[in-house]
Amino acid sequence: MSLLVAVTSFVVASPFHLAPQGTPQEAAARPAQLSVAEQSSLRDKLSKYLADDSAHELASGEQRKKTGRAREKSKQTFDTEWDKFDKKVKLLASPADLRAIFENCFLVKPPSFSLGQLRKETIKEEGLDYSFYLPKAYKVDKALRTVLVLPGVADTAGKWTKAVDHWTATWDQSAAAADTIFHFPHVPEGVELDLIPDYNREGAEEEDRRRNKIVLGTFGEVLRGFHVDRSRVFLDLGRGTCGFGLRFMSMFPDRFAGAVLRKPVAVDDLRLGGLFGIPLLLLRTPDNAQVVDALKAKLDAAIPELTTVIDATDAYPHKASTPAIEEWLGKQRRNLVPTKVVIEPNHDMYNDAYWAKIDTADSLLTSPADKKPRLEVQADRAGNRITVKAVGVERFTLYLNDDLVDLDKEFTVVINDKAQVEKRTRTFRELREGVKNRFDGEFLFPARFTTVVPK
């Protein structure tokens, strides 16, 4: 089980809750068919069912009987409503309706504390601290843009900047503070984020897992407790975290709408293709111009037209650049169903992105440079065809919906120039399990296709 699945598993268990790639070419021609009122009615019943289902999964002993009855009742209510509208629309074949129905489908409780200030919390069982900020305008019925901030080191000695100090030096009193959730993992002293692990060294794997948990484990608390807009989650990377952030996003690319690099560094040992689809904003100064320009050239070669550079006019962490950063953030939004997906792993365990997943592949440690695992998939809905280019991959899975191909018909999958005709059936169970496992109301794929790469 990957770390991301592990993190989202405990999140799901809670009862609460620019697009250079473009959208699939047929999506704009397939408008929603239900009325707003009908979509809202289904969404309310779905949210109740998902909440009761999660409560039952958490319950034990005699409590499971009570939660089981509640879950069955809300499931029946939802099923009745679904069946009524499904006869009218064929809901699983209508991505626009599904997006509206599953929007904001995870219920959350109102906060019991004052808003508009930075708060510190601790996950005692993990020994991890974090801080977060909810704007005064936060409401439980409206998902908000969220920025996951890694403050970075305070100086060359490597001491981590305190969240409150970085907040004061960057986002405090900004326009974004009025409508954005901010999350600050607290990196323990002695942990170095930008270090690329040497997996031949004993203990390196555990250290890397710890680094990821510092970020994902604490951010899971914010995802579970508050109404985060999954399509507008950003990374804000400070000094000593930019290399880590690029590697981190390459492992979990479909979680982010973009990233800001306040102190970019060279990443010569990092495969960059896995960042395909993620817009990046680099801050340049006279002191780091050479590094930034070289990094941008590498990024442009791997992920064309996704990297923007702005010239900072003040000292790090560049609070004067906040308005420009805010403007850039406002233009970005994650597209979970891009027509093209590239998976270029930087770790053997983390190898899924958007609607594609590598199930079995050669090891990165033992593969030659030109034979390391890589998967590229391209959907052509007009031709009802998916083209796959695979290197070092034995088995893979594609999650499918009617944005990508017309599932009422047979579709063609071309794998390394070898074509095969397929047909898949949509199921609500597949759709629901994907949403629950990802804890993401936009992960809407009612069918899947798994195959072995032909020799």
Side-chain angles (χ1 to χ4, degrees):
M1 178 183 290
S2 74
L3 176 63
L4 185 58
V5 172
V7 171
T8 52
S9 293
F10 80 74
V11 171
V12 171
S14 168
F16 312 116
H17 154 66
L18 167 99
Q21 303 170 81
T23 54
Q25 52 268 56
E26 294 294 318
R30 298 169 62 85
Q33 300 177 66
L34 293 182
S35 68
V36 173
E38 290 170 331
Q39 293 168 348
S40 179
S41 177
L42 263 173
R43 185 188 313 116
D44 291 343
K45 294 173 176 60
L46 171 67
S47 296
K48 181 66 166 61
Y49 166 45
L50 291 177
D52 288 343
D53 182 55
S54 293
H56 182 65
E57 290 179 353
L58 275 179
S60 60
E62 290 297 317
Q63 189 67 15
R64 283 188 63 81
K65 295 180 180 179
K66 181 179 179 180
T67 57
R69 289 192 296 269
R71 180 181 67 171
E72 186 59 29
K73 181 179 179 180
S74 60
K75 181 180 184 300
Q76 289 179 358
T77 301
F78 171 72
D79 286 347
T80 299
E81 188 90 337
W82 177 277
D83 291 342
K84 180 176 71 174
F85 292 126
D86 192 49
K87 293 176 183 177
K88 172 183 176 181
V89 169
K90 197 175 181 181
L91 290 171
L92 291 178
S94 178
D97 284 298
L98 291 177
R99 283 190 287 270
I101 293 166
F102 279 82
E103 182 182 13
N104 302 338
C105 64
F106 296 110
L107 299 178
V108 295
K109 287 185 174 181
S112 58
F113 49 82
S114 300
L115 305 179
Q117 58 188 9
L118 204 63
R119 292 179 57 86
K120 180 182 177 181
E121 297 288 348
T122 299
I123 307 176
K124 293 182 180 179
E125 58 272 22
E126 300 290 348
L128 296 175
D129 298 327
Y130 66 96
S131 296
F132 68 93
Y133 169 91
L134 292 187
K136 292 181 179 180
Y138 173 80
K139 303 290 183 184
V140 295
D141 60 348
K142 183 180 180 181
L144 293 185
R145 175 177 65 192
T146 301
V147 178
L148 198 169
V149 184
L150 293 178
V153 293
D155 50 42
T156 55
K159 186 175 182 180
W160 291 105
T161 306
K162 293 182 178 179
V164 64
D165 293 337
H166 194 73
W167 169 255
T168 301
T170 53
W171 294 107
D172 190 22
Q173 304 299 316
S174 68
D179 61 4
T180 304
I181 300 170
F182 292 89
H183 173 74
F184 295 78
H186 294 184
V187 182
E189 292 301 322
V191 174
E192 185 178 353
L193 290 185
D194 267 357
L195 179 69
I196 293 182
D198 175 8
Y199 294 117
N200 291 312
R201 181 177 60 82
E202 185 177 354
E205 184 72 48
E206 181 57 35
E207 291 173 4
D208 195 37
R209 189 177 294 111
R210 175 68 172 173
R211 282 188 284 265
N212 290 339
K213 199 168 189 178
I214 289 167
V215 179
L216 279 180
T218 59
F219 188 53
E221 296 294 306
V222 170
L223 281 173
R224 176 172 62 182
F226 310 116
H227 209 156
V228 172
D229 185 345
R230 304 304 197 278
S231 69
R232 294 188 298 153
V233 175
F234 297 87
L235 273 180
D236 180 358
L237 303 168
R239 179 166 46 204
T241 73
C242 291
F244 167 83
L246 291 176
R247 181 172 176 270
F248 184 76
M249 287 186 294
S250 76
M251 296 190 292
F252 311 113
D254 52 37
R255 293 291 169 171
F256 301 100
V260 178
L261 282 68
R262 295 180 182 267
K263 195 72 171 179
V265 295
V267 286
D268 297 333
D269 297 326
L270 191 68
R271 305 176 80 198
L272 299 176
L275 296 169
F276 186 86
I278 305 177
L280 302 171
L281 181 66
L282 279 55
L283 273 62
R284 179 173 55 191
T285 67
D287 291 339
N288 71 1
Q290 186 174 356
V291 171
V292 171
D293 292 343
L295 177 59
K296 185 179 187 303
K298 291 190 65 175
L299 290 167
D300 286 345
I303 51 172
E305 302 179 3
L306 284 171
T307 304
T308 301
V309 174
I310 61 174
D311 290 312
T313 59
D314 62 339
Y316 174 87
H318 312 303
K319 189 164 188 174
S321 296
T322 301
I325 296 173
E326 290 172 326
E327 181 181 2
W328 181 85
L329 291 178
K331 297 177 181 178
Q332 318 306 328
R333 192 179 187 93
R334 178 191 68 173
N335 174 18
L336 198 52
V337 197
T339 55
K340 181 179 178 180
V341 175
V342 175
I343 303 177
E344 194 175 84
N346 282 299
H347 192 292
D348 286 333
M349 287 181 60
Y350 311 119
N351 46 25
D352 61 286
Y354 305 95
W355 49 276
K357 177 184 178 183
I358 297 175
D359 297 310
T360 309
D362 298 338
S363 170
L364 289 169
L365 288 176
T366 57
S367 298
D370 61 341
K371 299 294 183 181
K372 291 185 183 298
R374 188 179 192 274
L375 189 74
E376 179 179 317
V377 296
Q378 180 103 32
D380 172 17
R381 195 180 192 283
N384 230 34
R385 174 185 296 259
I386 298 174
T387 303
V388 180
K389 298 178 182 179
V391 176
V393 175
E394 179 181 333
R395 185 172 179 267
F396 67 90
T397 294
L398 304 179
Y399 300 94
L400 303 175
N401 65 18
D402 285 75
D403 275 333
L404 299 167
V405 291
D406 186 345
L407 291 169
D408 282 331
K409 304 174 183 178
E410 292 182 335
F411 57 92
T412 302
V413 182
V414 183
I415 307 171
N416 290 347
D417 299 323
K418 296 182 179 180
Q420 57 193 71
V421 177
E422 300 291 338
K423 184 73 171 67
R424 289 295 182 274
T425 300
R426 312 176 191 90
T427 69
F428 181 78
R429 177 183 176 84
E430 182 74 29
L431 180 78
R432 181 195 64 193
E433 291 305 303
V435 169
K436 286 179 57 180
N437 290 338
R438 292 291 189 105
F439 199 51
D440 191 334
E442 292 188 359
F443 193 82
L444 301 170
F445 301 97
R448 74 166 72 184
F449 165 73
T450 300
T451 191
V452 173
V453 176
K455 298 296 184 182

